[in-house]
Amino acid sequence: MLDTASIPTQQSADAAPRVPAVSPTGAIRTLGANPATAPIVLHPGDSIPHRKRVLYIVLLGALTALGPFTIDLYLPAFPVLESEFQTTAAAIQLTLTGTMVGFALGQLVVGPLSDKVGRRVPLLVVTALHVAASVGAALAPNLELLSVARVFMGAGAAAGGVIAAAVVRDLFGGRRLVVMLSRLALVSGVAPVLAPLVGSALLVVMPWRGIFVVLGVYGSIMLIAAAVFIPETLPPARRHERGATTVWQRYRSVFSDRVFIGVLIIGGMTFSGLFSYLSASSFLFQQTYAFNAQQYGLLFAANSLGVVLGVQVAARLAARFGPQWVMAWSTAVLVVAASAIIVTDQLGLGLWGTVVPLFFFMTACGFTFPCVQVLALDRHGKAAGTAQSIIGATNFGVAGIITPIVGWISAGSGITATTMASVMVGCAVIGVLSLWLIVRPRTVERLAP
């Protein structure tokens, strides 16, 4: 570990002796006459022992996964819910929309609040809400009450992803931030894909209500783990820095950044394309292609490999060439892969004509997700919670609005690969336009070491 005693500071020669102090997160601060204003000479995460760093990443990854699992774990049960409540596929998809809208609104509250009062309190309070709402969903006697419970479940799951990314930004910077955020992006990208696989397995041994019991237990474990193992990473002094003391100032700082706006649109459109597939896939593969719940889950497992591959390769390429250039390729692949699904479906190539380009689409999503987070958060360290909340709210809020379009345009004829991919193509095209017209990759500076 770097010896901070040898690092020059801004203090004068006649200042009080310097004494290294280590915070609960492992941050090294060189203390002088005034500890409150003493400069941090390293990114705090650089001084955390490797074992503790691994523990943080595991816990933060599990918190990040709580949101996607809350949203997607019950997707394999859609046909069951449609039959039990005697309703339509579009009505069942609206419960997914309600969850995503709740998730988006919850993030808009949690993010700025965490920049103001610290990370721990919002995390604990909102995760407790998730646990209570999960119990309500498990006991819901009708679709209306289930929908209400799902909105609150979404809001309660909002803290995990926002706080996890903000904690990582509190602790790391530069290219190491790329690596750490890529771990969370891996979870964010893989969890929505793996959740239906887990949900399919759960449906073998329990009714659909048991899925919400499992989510309640998951939330309870995360609540206890956060209370015991995750320290406060935002010191009081940083909560009142000039230019970031109010919610309005934080929002203004991020929304005045052209690059942030551009990657915000790219992230929202990529997520919307992904969730258009997720919301339609249960009906497409189980009804059109006659998959059972287990085969449907295995399909998701195969697609998750593409996301994992994309995230891991993207982290290395982004650190070397810049995340904006990685997105230049990945967003183009999104357009090509989604278009290929339409072409193969119209040519009557069947299941494999859909599955193969779909794998490439998922892989391109994996390339895109970490690059969006890195470009957004590396530029806004003082408002990391606010920036991440805007990203998360946009991703899930826009996706919640767009995904029911698949059901609406398929009304009367049933969901097909073409109707699903049509929405995916539209989202991907908007992402490409945002990259080249708003972000403008050549104007984005290189990441710091």
Side-chain angles (χ1 to χ4, degrees):
M1 184 171 66
L2 197 59
D3 182 7
T4 58
S6 64
I7 299 178
T9 69
Q10 298 173 356
Q11 295 172 310
S12 62
D14 58 351
R18 301 179 181 89
V19 181
V22 182
S23 74
T25 61
I28 297 179
R29 187 182 290 273
T30 303
L31 302 183
N34 187 356
T37 60
I40 296 177
V41 296
L42 296 174
H43 289 299
D46 294 342
S47 63
I48 298 176
H50 177 72
R51 185 174 301 176
K52 183 176 288 188
R53 190 182 303 166
V54 171
L55 173 64
Y56 286 165
I57 288 300
V58 169
L59 291 179
L60 294 175
L63 280 168
T64 300
L66 180 60
F69 267 81
T70 295
I71 293 170
D72 295 335
L73 195 65
Y74 81 135
L75 288 181
F78 271 18
V80 178
L81 290 170
E82 181 182 6
S83 175
E84 179 163 332
F85 290 119
Q86 295 296 300
T87 186
T88 64
I92 298 300
Q93 284 183 320
L94 285 177
T95 66
L96 177 63
T97 298
T99 310
M100 295 166 72
V101 170
F103 191 72
L105 295 177
Q107 290 186 84
L108 291 177
V109 174
V110 170
L113 187 63
S114 74
D115 285 333
K116 187 69 175 179
V117 305
R119 312 303 186 198
R120 276 175 57 86
V121 173
L123 174 61
L124 299 178
V125 171
V126 177
T127 305
L129 173 63
H130 174 272
V131 175
S134 298
V135 175
L139 300 176
N142 53 53
L143 186 60
E144 290 75 17
L145 291 179
L146 175 62
S147 299
V148 172
R150 291 291 291 166
V151 172
F152 283 103
M153 284 183 71
V162 173
I163 300 299
V167 166
V168 169
R169 184 60 186 88
D170 289 341
L171 298 178
F172 302 100
R175 293 180 181 175
R176 180 161 291 192
L177 178 65
V178 175
V179 176
M180 303 306 286
L181 284 179
S182 72
R183 303 294 186 266
L184 297 185
L186 176 62
V187 174
S188 299
V190 172
V193 181
L194 288 183
L197 174 62
V198 177
S200 298
L202 291 175
L203 286 174
V204 175
V205 297
M206 62 181 64
W208 65 265
R209 295 181 186 275
I211 291 177
F212 298 114
V213 174
V214 171
L215 286 170
V217 173
Y218 183 1
S220 299
I221 293 173
M222 289 297 94
L223 181 62
I224 295 171
V228 174
F229 295 110
I230 298 181
E232 179 57 67
T233 58
L234 187 66
R238 285 189 56 201
R239 302 172 198 174
H240 306 286
E241 290 179 333
R242 177 180 294 274
T245 57
T246 68
V247 172
W248 167 247
Q249 287 175 323
R250 293 186 181 97
Y251 275 117
R252 185 173 60 182
S253 71
V254 295
F255 279 118
S256 61
D257 180 4
R258 169 182 54 81
V259 174
F260 180 88
I261 296 297
V263 298
L264 187 66
I265 296 172
I266 295 169
M269 289 300 102
T270 304
F271 244 77
S272 296
L274 173 64
F275 274 91
S276 295
Y277 153 63
L278 292 178
S279 67
S281 61
S282 180
F283 301 104
L284 175 64
F285 289 103
Q286 294 190 74
Q287 294 179 352
T288 302
Y289 292 122
F291 278 30
N292 60 35
Q294 288 67 49
Q295 292 171 327
Y296 173 69
L298 289 175
L299 173 68
F300 271 82
N303 283 330
S304 70
L305 296 177
V307 178
V308 172
L309 174 65
V311 170
Q312 293 305 303
V313 176
R316 291 167 172 78
L317 294 179
R320 181 174 180 181
F321 300 106
Q324 67 273 25
W325 296 113
V326 175
M327 286 196 297
W329 288 95
S330 66
T331 52
V333 173
L334 288 173
V335 175
V336 173
S339 300
I341 295 175
I342 298 176
V343 172
T344 56
D345 186 50
Q346 293 301 306
L347 292 176
L349 299 184
L351 175 64
W352 287 106
T354 299
V355 169
V356 172
L358 182 59
F359 178 83
F360 285 98
F361 184 91
M362 300 295 286
T363 303
C365 288
F367 273 90
T368 305
F369 291 143
C371 297
V372 167
Q373 283 195 304
V374 169
L375 277 181
L377 297 185
D378 187 60
R379 304 168 67 88
H380 297 285
K382 291 183 179 180
T386 301
Q388 179 60 29
S389 72
I390 295 170
I391 294 172
T394 300
N395 286 350
F396 288 93
V398 173
I401 294 171
I402 289 178
T403 50
I405 295 176
V406 179
W408 293 337
I409 64 177
S410 304
S413 59
I415 290 175
T416 66
T418 296
T419 55
M420 176 187 73
S422 297
V423 178
M424 294 162 63
V425 169
C427 293
V429 168
I430 294 174
V432 169
L433 293 176
S434 177
L435 177 69
W436 294 104
L437 298 181
I438 301 178
V439 176
R440 302 201 295 273
R442 292 182 180 84
T443 68
V444 179
E445 64 273 13
R446 296 288 296 271
L447 291 173

